[in-house]
Amino acid sequence: MRVIFLLFLMFSLGCEKIEKIFLEEDILDRPPSKRCSECHTKIYSQWKDSRHSVAWISEDFIKKTENRTKTKCLSCHAPLEVKAVKKPELRNKLREEGVNCFSCHYRGDTNSIHGPYRVFSPPHYSTYDPDYISSKICAGCHEKTYLKWKESGSVKNCQDCHMPAKKERLIQKFPFTYFHSKKNLHNHSFPSLKADEKDFLINFSIKQNFILMKIKNIKIPHTIPTSQQGSPKYYITITGYKHNKKILEEKFMLTPKNGLEPKKWKSFDLFVDDKPNKISIKIDRKLSWSKKKEEIFKKDFYFD
């Protein structure tokens, strides 16, 4: 019955009149993101749990920027408008919301909400923008990661991995929920995915008292660990055994400056007094905002 009533309104009044009836002008004045939750409940709840929502208030950010005195870092943590391949300006209000809904979706030059679909959304004006299905939209703030992704030649974009989608309704409020069909609803929690063993190729060679270990990032289309700011780390522990007795243990730490670039070998030289017949490699990571390490994988290699 609700859908029939809605169709009756659309045919009798026309889309332009319906748009004027339902237009909520305060939405186009960059209100708090909570305002968006009235219609986009699922997207808002995902964003609320994301690192973007705490970008301005996170302890790590405040510490790294010396209580926000390093001004070059600030605009990406509370941007006014996020645009493709452009560093954003710092906004003046609601900075505590970090990278909020209006940072990414509102454009002052069109006075409308931008997104990846052509939709009729009467509470506000909407503009289709193909940048939202392109890695370019991430490049202004995540420039280093974007450049490495671009060099990799990957057919996947940032959103494929960090905004996985499933078919759902973009709006959860009547009557607007019925204004268009289900679409790919992209995850606005922006998950930081975890690599595993299949993402790496590892090779060992032993000559006399030297071990050469090589490791290649074969599937992740950017350097790992990666960060524009922050300090994520990967830890590689190599342990050698001779007849079940430990004869070697070496540890290496990787940061975004010396991390594993896509499809490139990285080598580690080790000196040993005796040739091992078993080598274990263990890789852990610690995200910028995490206090603890977490294991990526562990693997054993055997030699004659």
Side-chain angles (χ1 to χ4, degrees):
M1 182 63 71
R2 289 178 173 181
V3 177
I4 294 172
F5 175 70
L6 178 61
L7 290 173
F8 171 76
L9 281 179
M10 292 181 70
F11 283 111
S12 61
L13 298 178
C15 290
E16 289 186 9
K17 287 186 178 180
I18 288 179
E19 192 171 60
K20 289 180 180 179
I21 290 172
F22 288 111
L23 181 64
E24 300 174 26
E25 294 185 4
D26 69 294
I27 294 177
L28 303 175
D29 192 31
R30 298 188 174 97
S33 293
K34 181 71 173 175
R35 183 73 171 84
C36 303
S37 70
E38 296 174 19
C39 290
H40 303 284
T41 309
K42 290 183 179 179
I43 291 175
Y44 173 80
S45 64
Q46 291 170 349
W47 167 82
K48 190 69 175 172
D49 292 333
S50 75
R51 297 301 302 171
H52 278 178
S53 72
V54 295
W56 185 260
I57 62 174
S58 75
E59 292 181 7
D60 188 62
F61 164 67
I62 294 171
K63 181 179 178 181
K64 294 291 183 182
T65 57
E66 297 177 7
N67 199 24
R68 306 188 185 103
T69 58
K70 293 184 178 180
T71 57
K72 71 174 184 178
C73 303
L74 303 187
S75 64
C76 282
H77 286 256
L80 179 64
E81 294 185 3
V82 174
K83 297 179 180 179
V85 203
K86 290 183 180 180
K87 187 173 181 179
E89 297 177 20
L90 178 63
R91 71 172 181 272
N92 294 321
K93 67 175 185 177
L94 297 172
R95 290 181 180 176
E96 69 278 5
E97 289 194 354
V99 186
N100 67 7
C101 302
F102 293 91
S103 294
C104 292
H105 290 284
Y106 178 74
R107 295 286 182 274
D109 58 348
T110 62
N111 192 34
S112 68
I113 303 298
H114 286 223
Y117 301 115
R118 301 182 192 276
V119 293
F120 174 57
S121 300
H124 56 72
Y125 304 120
S126 296
T127 299
Y128 163 69
D129 193 333
D131 285 338
Y132 285 82
I133 51 173
S134 165
S135 294
K136 292 179 181 179
I137 199 70
C138 309
C141 288
H142 300 279
E143 180 183 13
K144 293 178 182 178
T145 304
Y146 170 76
L147 291 175
K148 287 298 180 183
W149 166 83
K150 194 172 182 180
E151 288 176 11
S152 76
S154 175
V155 296
K156 289 187 175 182
N157 59 27
C158 301
Q159 295 89 329
D160 288 333
C161 294
H162 297 287
M163 293 187 75
K166 60 180 180 180
K167 290 280 186 182
E168 290 190 55
R169 293 197 180 275
L170 302 180
I171 299 170
Q172 285 75 51
K173 182 179 180 180
F174 177 81
F176 309 118
T177 188
Y178 297 107
F179 274 40
H180 35 75
S181 61
K182 290 183 179 181
K183 294 180 172 20
N184 283 328
L185 182 66
H186 291 269
N187 190 328
H188 282 66
S189 68
F190 308 96
S192 55
L193 304 185
K194 186 177 177 182
D196 59 32
E197 183 180 338
K198 70 178 184 299
D199 296 314
F200 303 96
L201 190 61
I202 300 173
N203 179 272
F204 279 99
S205 59
I206 303 177
K207 292 185 178 180
Q208 297 179 343
N209 295 103
F210 288 93
I211 298 173
L212 175 64
M213 187 199 84
K214 296 198 300 180
I215 183 169
K216 183 192 287 188
N217 165 15
I218 58 175
K219 289 191 176 182
I220 299 170
H222 57 69
T223 303
I224 47 173
T226 185
S227 178
Q228 191 71 15
Q229 291 101 25
S231 54
K233 296 178 178 67
Y234 263 52
Y235 302 90
I236 299 177
T237 302
I238 302 170
T239 309
Y241 299 88
K242 183 70 173 281
H243 305 308
N244 296 322
K245 180 181 179 181
K246 185 195 295 187
I247 61 172
L248 163 72
E249 184 173 87
E250 291 282 353
K251 296 184 178 182
F252 302 92
M253 184 177 74
L254 302 180
T255 69
K257 292 183 178 180
N258 70 336
L260 302 173
E261 296 185 30
K263 301 177 183 178
K264 291 184 180 180
W265 288 105
K266 192 171 188 66
S267 299
F268 301 87
D269 292 312
L270 302 95
F271 176 81
V272 290
D273 293 322
D274 197 4
K275 179 180 176 181
N277 55 20
K278 173 186 170 183
I279 293 178
S280 293
I281 178 171
K282 182 172 177 284
I283 298 182
D284 301 289
R285 76 169 183 180
K286 187 169 79 67
L287 299 172
S288 295
W289 57 89
S290 176
K291 302 295 183 184
K292 297 181 180 180
K293 297 179 185 177
E294 57 179 329
E295 184 175 310
I296 299 296
F297 73 91
K298 184 178 181 180
K299 187 174 183 179
D300 296 332
F301 296 82
Y302 295 89
F303 307 89
D304 294 332

